[in-house]
Coordinates of all heavy atoms in Angstrom, one line a residue:
M18 N 55.7 -17.0 11.7 CA 55.3 -16.0 10.7 C 55.6 -16.6 9.3 O 56.7 -17.1 9.1 CB 55.9 -14.7 10.9 CG 55.0 -13.5 10.6 SD 55.6 -12.0 11.2 CE 56.4 -11.3 9.8
A19 N 54.8 -16.4 8.3 CA 55.0 -16.9 7.0 C 56.1 -16.1 6.3 O 56.2 -14.9 6.5 CB 53.8 -16.9 6.2
L20 N 57.0 -16.7 5.6 CA 58.1 -16.1 4.9 C 58.0 -16.4 3.4 O 57.6 -17.5 3.0 CB 59.4 -16.5 5.4 CG 59.8 -16.0 6.8 CD1 61.1 -16.7 7.2 CD2 60.1 -14.5 6.8
P21 N 58.4 -15.4 2.5 CA 58.4 -15.7 1.1 C 59.4 -16.7 0.8 O 60.5 -16.7 1.3 CB 58.7 -14.3 0.5 CG 59.2 -13.5 1.6 CD 58.7 -14.0 2.8
K22 N 59.1 -17.7 -0.2 CA 60.0 -18.8 -0.5 C 61.2 -18.2 -1.3 O 62.3 -18.7 -1.1 CB 59.2 -19.8 -1.3 CG 59.8 -21.2 -1.3 CD 58.9 -22.2 -1.9 CE 59.2 -23.6 -1.5 NZ 58.1 -24.5 -1.9
R23 N 60.9 -17.3 -2.2 CA 62.0 -16.8 -3.1 C 62.0 -15.3 -3.0 O 61.0 -14.7 -2.7 CB 61.7 -17.2 -4.5 CG 61.8 -18.6 -4.8 CD 62.9 -18.9 -5.7 NE 63.1 -20.4 -5.8 CZ 64.3 -21.0 -5.4 NH1 65.2 -20.3 -4.9 NH2 64.4 -22.3 -5.5
R24 N 63.2 -14.7 -3.1 CA 63.2 -13.3 -3.2 C 62.7 -12.8 -4.5 O 62.8 -13.5 -5.5 CB 64.7 -12.8 -2.9 CG 65.6 -12.9 -4.1 CD 67.0 -12.5 -3.8 NE 67.1 -11.1 -3.5 CZ 67.6 -10.2 -4.4 NH1 68.0 -10.6 -5.6 NH2 67.7 -8.9 -4.1
K25 N 62.1 -11.6 -4.5 CA 61.6 -11.0 -5.8 C 62.7 -10.4 -6.6 O 63.6 -9.7 -6.0 CB 60.5 -10.0 -5.5 CG 59.1 -10.6 -5.2 CD 58.1 -9.6 -5.1 CE 56.7 -10.3 -5.0 NZ 55.7 -9.5 -4.6
S26 N 62.6 -10.6 -7.9 CA 63.6 -10.1 -8.8 C 63.5 -8.5 -8.9 O 62.4 -8.0 -8.6 CB 63.5 -10.7 -10.2 OG 62.3 -10.3 -10.8
H27 N 64.5 -7.9 -9.3 CA 64.4 -6.4 -9.5 C 63.3 -6.1 -10.5 O 62.6 -5.1 -10.3 CB 65.8 -5.9 -10.0 CG 66.8 -5.8 -9.0 ND1 66.7 -4.9 -7.9 CD2 68.0 -6.5 -8.9 CE1 67.8 -5.1 -7.2 NE2 68.6 -6.0 -7.7
A28 N 63.1 -6.9 -11.5 CA 62.1 -6.6 -12.5 C 60.7 -6.7 -11.9 O 59.8 -5.8 -12.2 CB 62.2 -7.5 -13.7
K29 N 60.5 -7.7 -11.1 CA 59.2 -7.9 -10.4 C 58.9 -6.7 -9.5 O 57.8 -6.1 -9.5 CB 59.2 -9.1 -9.6 CG 58.8 -10.4 -10.3 CD 57.3 -10.5 -10.4 CE 56.9 -11.8 -11.2 NZ 55.6 -11.8 -11.6
V30 N 59.8 -6.3 -8.7 CA 59.6 -5.1 -7.8 C 59.4 -3.9 -8.6 O 58.5 -3.1 -8.3 CB 60.9 -5.0 -6.9 CG1 60.8 -3.7 -6.1 CG2 61.0 -6.2 -6.0
R31 N 60.2 -3.7 -9.7 CA 60.1 -2.4 -10.4 C 58.7 -2.3 -11.2 O 58.1 -1.3 -11.2 CB 61.2 -2.3 -11.4 CG 62.2 -1.3 -11.0 CD 63.3 -1.1 -12.1 NE 64.5 -1.9 -11.7 CZ 65.1 -2.6 -12.6 NH1 64.7 -2.7 -13.8 NH2 66.2 -3.3 -12.2
T32 N 58.3 -3.5 -11.7 CA 57.0 -3.4 -12.4 C 55.8 -3.1 -11.5 O 54.9 -2.4 -11.8 CB 56.7 -4.7 -13.2 OG1 57.2 -5.8 -12.5 CG2 57.2 -4.6 -14.6
R33 N 55.9 -3.7 -10.2 CA 54.9 -3.4 -9.2 C 54.9 -1.9 -8.8 O 53.9 -1.3 -8.8 CB 55.1 -4.3 -8.0 CG 54.2 -3.9 -6.9 CD 54.2 -5.0 -5.8 NE 55.5 -5.5 -5.5 CZ 56.3 -4.9 -4.6 NH1 56.0 -3.8 -3.9 NH2 57.5 -5.4 -4.3
R34 N 56.1 -1.4 -8.6 CA 56.2 0.0 -8.1 C 55.9 1.0 -9.2 O 55.5 2.2 -8.9 CB 57.6 0.3 -7.6 CG 57.8 -0.4 -6.3 CD 59.2 -0.2 -5.7 NE 59.4 -1.0 -4.5 CZ 60.5 -1.2 -4.0 NH1 61.6 -0.6 -4.5 NH2 60.6 -1.9 -2.9
Q35 N 56.0 0.6 -10.5 CA 55.7 1.6 -11.6 C 54.2 2.0 -11.6 O 53.9 3.0 -12.1 CB 56.1 1.0 -12.9 CG 57.4 1.3 -13.4 CD 57.8 0.6 -14.7 OE1 56.9 0.1 -15.3 NE2 59.0 0.6 -15.0
Q36 N 53.4 1.1 -11.1 CA 51.9 1.5 -11.1 C 51.6 2.7 -10.3 O 50.6 3.3 -10.6 CB 51.1 0.3 -10.6 CG 51.3 -1.0 -11.4 CD 50.6 -2.2 -10.7 OE1 49.5 -2.0 -10.3 NE2 51.3 -3.2 -10.5
W37 N 52.4 3.0 -9.4 CA 52.1 4.1 -8.5 C 52.8 5.4 -8.8 O 52.9 6.3 -8.0 CB 52.3 3.7 -7.0 CG 51.7 2.4 -6.7 CD1 52.3 1.2 -6.6 CD2 50.3 2.2 -6.6 NE1 51.3 0.2 -6.4 CE2 50.1 0.8 -6.3 CE3 49.2 3.0 -6.6 CZ2 48.8 0.3 -6.2 CZ3 47.9 2.4 -6.4 CH2 47.8 1.1 -6.2
R38 N 53.4 5.4 -10.0 CA 54.2 6.6 -10.4 C 53.2 7.7 -10.7 O 52.1 7.4 -11.2 CB 55.0 6.3 -11.6 CG 56.2 7.1 -11.8 CD 57.0 6.6 -12.9 NE 58.1 5.6 -12.5 CZ 58.8 5.0 -13.3 NH1 58.6 5.1 -14.6 NH2 59.7 4.1 -12.9
A39 N 53.5 8.9 -10.4 CA 52.6 10.1 -10.6 C 52.5 10.3 -12.1 O 53.4 10.2 -12.9 CB 53.2 11.3 -9.9
Q40 N 51.2 10.6 -12.5 CA 50.9 10.8 -13.9 C 51.0 12.3 -14.2 O 50.7 13.1 -13.3 CB 49.5 10.3 -14.2 CG 49.3 8.8 -14.0 CD 50.2 8.0 -15.0 OE1 50.2 8.3 -16.2 NE2 50.9 7.1 -14.4
P41 N 51.4 12.7 -15.4 CA 51.4 14.1 -15.7 C 50.0 14.7 -15.7 O 49.0 14.0 -16.1 CB 52.0 14.1 -17.1 CG 51.8 12.8 -17.7 CD 51.8 11.8 -16.5
V42 N 50.0 16.0 -15.4 CA 48.7 16.6 -15.3 C 48.2 16.9 -16.7 O 48.9 17.4 -17.6 CB 48.8 18.0 -14.5 CG1 47.5 18.7 -14.5 CG2 49.3 17.7 -13.1
A43 N 46.9 16.6 -16.9 CA 46.3 16.8 -18.3 C 46.1 18.3 -18.5 O 45.8 19.1 -17.6 CB 45.0 16.1 -18.4
S44 N 46.3 18.7 -19.7 CA 46.1 20.2 -20.0 C 45.6 20.3 -21.5 O 46.0 19.5 -22.4 CB 47.4 20.9 -19.8 OG 48.4 20.5 -20.7
T45 N 44.9 21.3 -21.8 CA 44.5 21.7 -23.1 C 44.7 23.2 -23.3 O 45.1 23.9 -22.3 CB 43.0 21.4 -23.4 OG1 42.2 22.0 -22.4 CG2 42.7 19.9 -23.5
T46 N 44.5 23.7 -24.5 CA 44.5 25.1 -24.7 C 43.1 25.7 -24.8 O 42.3 25.0 -25.4 CB 45.4 25.5 -25.9 OG1 44.8 24.7 -27.0 CG2 46.8 25.1 -25.7
C47 N 42.9 26.9 -24.3 CA 41.6 27.5 -24.4 C 41.3 27.9 -25.8 O 42.1 28.5 -26.5 CB 41.6 28.7 -23.5 SG 40.1 29.7 -23.6
P48 N 40.1 27.5 -26.3 CA 39.7 27.9 -27.7 C 39.5 29.4 -27.9 O 39.5 29.9 -29.0 CB 38.5 27.1 -28.0 CG 37.9 26.7 -26.7 CD 39.1 26.6 -25.7
N49 N 39.2 30.0 -26.8 CA 38.9 31.5 -26.8 C 40.2 32.3 -26.7 O 40.4 33.2 -27.6 CB 38.0 31.9 -25.7 CG 37.5 33.3 -25.8 OD1 36.9 33.6 -26.8 ND2 37.6 34.0 -24.7
C50 N 41.1 32.0 -25.8 CA 42.3 32.8 -25.6 C 43.6 32.0 -25.8 O 44.6 32.6 -25.7 CB 42.3 33.5 -24.2 SG 42.3 32.4 -22.9
S51 N 43.5 30.7 -26.1 CA 44.6 29.8 -26.4 C 45.6 29.9 -25.3 O 46.8 29.9 -25.6 CB 45.2 30.1 -27.8 OG 45.6 31.5 -27.9
V52 N 45.2 29.9 -24.1 CA 46.1 29.8 -22.9 C 46.0 28.4 -22.4 O 45.0 27.7 -22.6 CB 45.7 30.9 -21.9 CG1 45.3 30.2 -20.6 CG2 46.9 31.8 -21.6
V53 N 47.1 27.8 -21.8 CA 47.0 26.5 -21.3 C 46.1 26.4 -20.1 O 46.2 27.2 -19.2 CB 48.5 26.0 -21.0 CG1 48.4 24.6 -20.4 CG2 49.3 26.0 -22.2
M54 N 45.2 25.4 -20.2 CA 44.2 25.3 -19.1 C 43.9 23.9 -18.7 O 44.2 23.0 -19.5 CB 42.9 26.1 -19.5 CG 42.3 25.5 -20.8 SD 40.8 26.2 -21.3 CE 39.6 25.3 -20.5
V55 N 43.2 23.7 -17.6 CA 42.8 22.3 -17.2 C 41.6 21.9 -18.0 O 40.6 22.7 -18.1 CB 42.5 22.3 -15.7 CG1 42.1 20.9 -15.2 CG2 43.6 22.9 -14.9
P56 N 41.5 20.7 -18.6 CA 40.3 20.3 -19.4 C 39.1 20.2 -18.5 O 39.2 19.8 -17.4 CB 40.8 19.0 -20.0 CG 41.9 18.5 -19.2 CD 42.6 19.7 -18.7
H57 N 37.9 20.4 -19.1 CA 36.6 20.3 -18.5 C 36.4 21.3 -17.3 O 35.7 21.0 -16.4 CB 36.4 18.8 -18.0 CG 36.6 17.8 -19.1 ND1 35.7 17.7 -20.1 CD2 37.6 16.9 -19.3 CE1 36.1 16.7 -20.9 NE2 37.3 16.2 -20.4
R58 N 37.2 22.4 -17.3 CA 37.0 23.4 -16.4 C 36.9 24.7 -17.1 O 37.4 24.8 -18.2 CB 38.2 23.5 -15.4 CG 38.5 22.3 -14.6 CD 37.4 22.1 -13.5 NE 37.8 21.0 -12.6 CZ 37.5 19.7 -12.9 NH1 36.9 19.4 -14.0 NH2 37.8 18.8 -12.1
A59 N 36.3 25.7 -16.5 CA 36.3 27.1 -17.1 C 37.7 27.6 -17.2 O 38.5 27.4 -16.3 CB 35.4 28.0 -16.3
C60 N 38.0 28.4 -18.2 CA 39.3 29.0 -18.4 C 39.5 30.0 -17.3 O 38.7 30.9 -17.1 CB 39.4 29.6 -19.8 SG 41.0 30.4 -20.0
L61 N 40.6 29.9 -16.6 CA 40.9 30.9 -15.6 C 41.4 32.2 -16.1 O 41.3 33.2 -15.4 CB 42.0 30.3 -14.6 CG 41.5 29.2 -13.7 CD1 42.7 28.6 -12.9 CD2 40.4 29.6 -12.8
N62 N 41.8 32.2 -17.4 CA 42.3 33.5 -18.0 C 41.1 34.4 -18.5 O 41.1 35.5 -18.1 CB 43.3 33.2 -19.1 CG 43.9 34.4 -19.6 OD1 44.4 35.2 -18.8 ND2 44.0 34.5 -20.9
C63 N 40.2 33.8 -19.3 CA 39.2 34.6 -19.9 C 37.8 34.2 -19.3 O 36.8 34.9 -19.6 CB 39.1 34.4 -21.4 SG 38.7 32.7 -21.9
G64 N 37.7 33.1 -18.5 CA 36.4 32.8 -17.9 C 35.4 32.1 -18.8 O 34.2 32.0 -18.5
H65 N 35.9 31.6 -20.0 CA 35.0 31.0 -20.9 C 34.9 29.5 -20.7 O 35.9 28.9 -20.3 CB 35.4 31.3 -22.4 CG 34.9 32.5 -22.9 ND1 35.3 33.7 -22.4 CD2 34.0 32.8 -23.9 CE1 34.7 34.7 -23.1 NE2 33.9 34.2 -24.0
Y66 N 33.7 28.9 -20.9 CA 33.6 27.5 -21.0 C 32.5 27.1 -22.0 O 31.4 27.7 -22.0 CB 33.2 26.9 -19.6 CG 33.2 25.4 -19.6 CD1 34.4 24.7 -19.5 CD2 32.0 24.7 -19.6 CE1 34.4 23.3 -19.6 CE2 32.0 23.3 -19.7 CZ 33.2 22.6 -19.6 OH 33.2 21.3 -19.7
N67 N 32.9 26.2 -22.9 CA 31.9 25.7 -23.9 C 31.4 26.9 -24.8 O 30.2 26.9 -25.1 CB 30.8 24.9 -23.3 CG 30.2 23.9 -24.3 OD1 30.8 23.6 -25.3 ND2 29.0 23.4 -24.0
G68 N 32.3 27.8 -25.1 CA 31.9 28.9 -26.0 C 31.2 30.1 -25.4 O 30.8 31.0 -26.1
R69 N 31.1 30.1 -24.0 CA 30.4 31.3 -23.5 C 31.1 31.6 -22.1 O 31.7 30.8 -21.5 CB 28.9 31.1 -23.2 CG 28.6 30.0 -22.3 CD 27.1 29.6 -22.4 NE 26.8 28.6 -21.4 CZ 26.4 28.9 -20.2 NH1 26.2 30.2 -19.8 NH2 26.2 28.0 -19.3
A70 N 31.0 32.9 -21.7 CA 31.6 33.4 -20.5 C 30.8 32.9 -19.3 O 29.6 33.2 -19.2 CB 31.7 34.9 -20.6
V71 N 31.4 32.2 -18.4 CA 30.8 31.7 -17.2 C 31.4 32.4 -16.0 O 30.8 32.3 -14.9 CB 30.8 30.2 -17.1 CG1 29.9 29.6 -18.2 CG2 32.2 29.7 -17.2
L72 N 32.6 32.9 -16.1 CA 33.3 33.6 -15.0 C 33.6 35.0 -15.4 O 33.9 35.2 -16.5 CB 34.6 32.8 -14.6 CG 34.4 31.4 -14.0 CD1 35.8 30.8 -13.9 CD2 33.8 31.4 -12.7
P73 N 33.7 35.9 -14.4 CA 34.2 37.2 -14.7 C 35.7 37.1 -15.1 O 36.4 36.4 -14.3 CB 34.0 38.0 -13.4 CG 33.8 37.0 -12.4 CD 33.2 35.8 -13.0
P74 N 36.1 37.7 -16.1 CA 37.5 37.6 -16.5 C 38.4 38.3 -15.5 O 38.0 39.3 -14.9 CB 37.6 38.3 -17.9 CG 36.4 39.2 -18.0 CD 35.4 38.5 -17.1
R75 N 39.7 37.8 -15.4 CA 40.6 38.4 -14.6 C 41.0 39.8 -15.1 O 41.2 40.0 -16.2 CB 41.9 37.6 -14.6 CG 41.9 36.4 -13.6 CD 43.3 35.8 -13.6 NE 43.3 34.6 -12.8 CZ 44.3 33.8 -12.8 NH1 45.4 34.1 -13.5 NH2 44.3 32.7 -12.0
S76 N 41.0 40.8 -14.1 CA 41.3 42.1 -14.5 C 42.8 42.3 -14.8 O 43.2 43.0 -15.7 CB 40.9 43.1 -13.4 OG 41.5 42.7 -12.2
K77 N 43.7 41.6 -14.0 CA 45.1 41.8 -14.2 C 45.7 40.5 -14.8 O 45.8 39.5 -14.2 CB 45.8 42.0 -12.9 CG 47.2 42.7 -13.0 CD 47.7 42.9 -11.6 CE 48.7 41.9 -11.2 NZ 49.3 42.1 -9.9
N78 N 46.0 40.6 -16.1 CA 46.7 39.4 -16.8 C 47.5 39.9 -17.9 O 47.2 41.0 -18.5 CB 45.7 38.3 -17.2 CG 44.8 38.7 -18.3 OD1 45.3 39.0 -19.4 ND2 43.6 38.8 -18.1
T79 N 48.5 39.2 -18.3 CA 49.4 39.5 -19.4 C 49.3 38.5 -20.5 O 49.9 38.8 -21.6 CB 50.8 39.7 -18.9 OG1 51.2 38.4 -18.3 CG2 51.0 40.8 -17.9
A80 N 48.7 37.3 -20.3 CA 48.7 36.3 -21.3 C 47.7 36.4 -22.4 O 47.6 35.6 -23.3 CB 48.6 34.9 -20.6
R81 N 46.7 37.4 -22.2 CA 45.6 37.4 -23.2 C 46.1 38.1 -24.4 O 46.5 39.3 -24.4 CB 44.5 38.2 -22.5 CG 43.2 37.8 -23.2 CD 42.0 38.0 -22.3 NE 41.9 39.3 -21.7 CZ 40.8 39.9 -21.3 NH1 39.7 39.2 -21.5 NH2 40.8 41.0 -20.7
P82 N 46.0 37.5 -25.6 CA 46.5 38.1 -26.8 C 45.6 39.1 -27.4 O 46.0 40.0 -28.1 CB 46.6 36.9 -27.8 CG 45.6 35.9 -27.3 CD 45.5 36.1 -25.8
D83 N 44.2 39.1 -27.1 CA 43.3 40.1 -27.7 C 43.2 41.3 -26.8 O 42.3 42.2 -27.2 CB 42.0 39.4 -27.9 CG 41.3 38.9 -26.6 OD1 42.1 38.7 -25.6 OD2 40.1 38.7 -26.6
S84 N 43.9 41.4 -25.8 CA 43.9 42.6 -24.9 C 44.6 43.8 -25.6 O 45.5 43.6 -26.5 CB 44.4 42.4 -23.6 OG 45.8 42.1 -23.7
E85 N 44.2 45.0 -25.2 CA 44.9 46.2 -25.9 C 46.2 46.4 -25.3 O 47.2 46.3 -25.6 CB 44.1 47.4 -25.6 CG 43.9 47.8 -24.1 CD 42.8 47.0 -23.4 OE1 41.9 46.6 -24.1 OE2 43.0 46.8 -22.2
Ligands
ZN8 ZN1 40.5 31.4 -22.1

């Protein structure tokens, strides 16, 4: 069986393993209700996407600033 000629340095191993580190989840704020949301998805709080309502808004929430 083939064997590596030299052992890999700590730096070599660490740079290789860094590529598979988990990336932080992307997030934006909703322009309608300014709640933190996933980009390119309809807002789960107010149901708006691209300036119009595409989902029925959640009946039970506390994060909406324009609610009574
Ligand atoms: Zn929203």
